[in-house]
Amino acid sequence: MVSPASTFLTIPGLALLVLGVNPIEGSSALSHASWTLGLRLYRALCSDGAQSTNALFSPVMLAGALGALGIGSRGHTAEQFQELLKTSGPQGGEALALKSMREGNGTAYTLHASTALFSKQAPGLDPVFLKEARGHYGLDHVPLGKDDKQDTDTITLWAAGAMAEAKVAQPSNVLQAQPGALLLASAVKFKGLWHRSFEEGQGDLRTFLGTKYTKIPMMHRAGIYRHYEDMENMLQVLEVDLKGGNMSMLLLLPFHVESLSRLDRLLSEELMAKWLERLTEQSIAISLPNVNLSSALYLQTQLAALGLKDAWDQKMADFSGLDAMKGQEALHLRDVLHWSSMELEEEDEQVEKPKLFYADHSFLLLVRDKASGALLLMGALDLAEGPGLHDEL
């Protein structure tokens, strides 16, 4: 069963999306291929409702990692990688997007992002492939041995180092595999700053109406924001700048308290592009939760459902482009493991008759790089951690 290894979040709910303020010149707002992968993978996660709670992932990081591994695939396996990533070849625009985001690191945000290929008793990986994958995508290679416990510790320590974290969720049951198994791992930590400070009341606990009703701290601010009300689909769309203008947060908030299933079904590239085009500046009084979201996911089931079928089968998988020994134990993909984390911190404007935007129920979230248009993060909040409510009726 593919499931989140862990999920931790202190947020009330909004349906939100984080993206660049402007699209790339001469392109549409959702031009980067990572949007297609992100939306498809998000829907696949949601199809297993119990497993999608508070999921967060990085479409551009996953696209880069899968694109790197796709360099070494051949035959039908290569075709499935290309179809999944919607490219005519194994190398798409993910490498350029990651390069762009790394160049912006340390300006208005901090980004830790790494990918690695762990190989289980497969000593003869082609050095030409490893050099190309590292050069284009930054994909490291970490060989593993025969001791599953030691190998699990190796992967966990790698993820913690990649995210500059003291501790991350430890993978379980992913290394009980035969020789020749490959584990593709990626880890991303994004830490941004709000463009302007919020007012945060001391002890101002408000109700969050998600899969459980809890009490959580909220922060408040009034100002001029880009906003749109979709009356047909019954939701508000709000864009809030992050510091530096490289990123902004787009919040998708249903009119009424409800599960995310209806909004999940609505999501499409066409509809999201329409929402972005119709945003206009308005006076808005907003109430938002503090954000600290992290997740660890196993994605084999979802990626197989999206068409990557042969890669997991020892007999069907064709990774002959990785095999320098030409005949070692059949190389195959055991799992795709993904860690992600997002934090927003604080680093006024007088408005008249503001419209109310009160986010107190489940939401979606995406983060897009302004320069490349790539989708850095996508996720959902169904459950906000906090003290539960007593029945007051």
Side-chain angles (χ1 to χ4, degrees), residues 143-251:
L144 301 173
K146 298 181 179 180
D147 188 326
D148 288 345
K149 174 62 169 64
Q150 182 177 338
D151 291 342
T152 300
D153 291 341
T154 297
I155 296 172
T156 304
L157 289 173
W158 172 86
M163 300 181 72
E165 297 276 5
K167 184 178 181 181
V168 299
Q170 187 175 66
S172 59
N173 302 322
V174 295
L175 291 176
Q176 297 174 1
Q178 296 176 346
L182 304 171
L183 179 68
L184 188 62
S186 53
V188 57
K189 179 179 180 179
F190 175 77
K191 188 172 183 178
L193 299 171
W194 293 110
H195 181 62
R196 290 185 295 123
S197 297
F198 281 79
E199 299 173 5
E200 185 176 0
Q202 295 296 323
D204 181 23
L205 295 179
R206 302 293 180 93
T207 301
F208 175 73
L209 306 172
T211 53
K212 294 182 179 180
Y213 289 8
T214 55
K215 289 284 191 179
I216 49 133
M218 296 281 280
M219 52 190 183
H220 317 282
R221 190 171 77 195
I224 306 298
Y225 303 99
R226 287 164 52 79
H227 180 266
Y228 171 65
E229 281 189 337
D230 186 336
M231 303 303 293
E232 178 182 358
N233 292 303
M234 299 185 295
L235 79 155
Q236 295 185 71
V237 183
L238 177 74
E239 186 179 34
V240 182
D241 283 346
L242 300 183
K243 185 178 179 182
N246 295 323
M247 303 280 180
S248 67
M249 178 172 286
L250 186 67
L251 307 155

Side-chain angles (χ1 to χ4, degrees), residues 312-330:
W312 324 96
D313 190 316
Q314 275 188 299
K315 296 181 179 180
M316 299 295 293
D318 186 350
F319 288 108
S320 53
L322 279 71
D323 186 0
M325 299 177 66
K326 307 303 180 187
Q328 67 175 314
E329 294 285 350

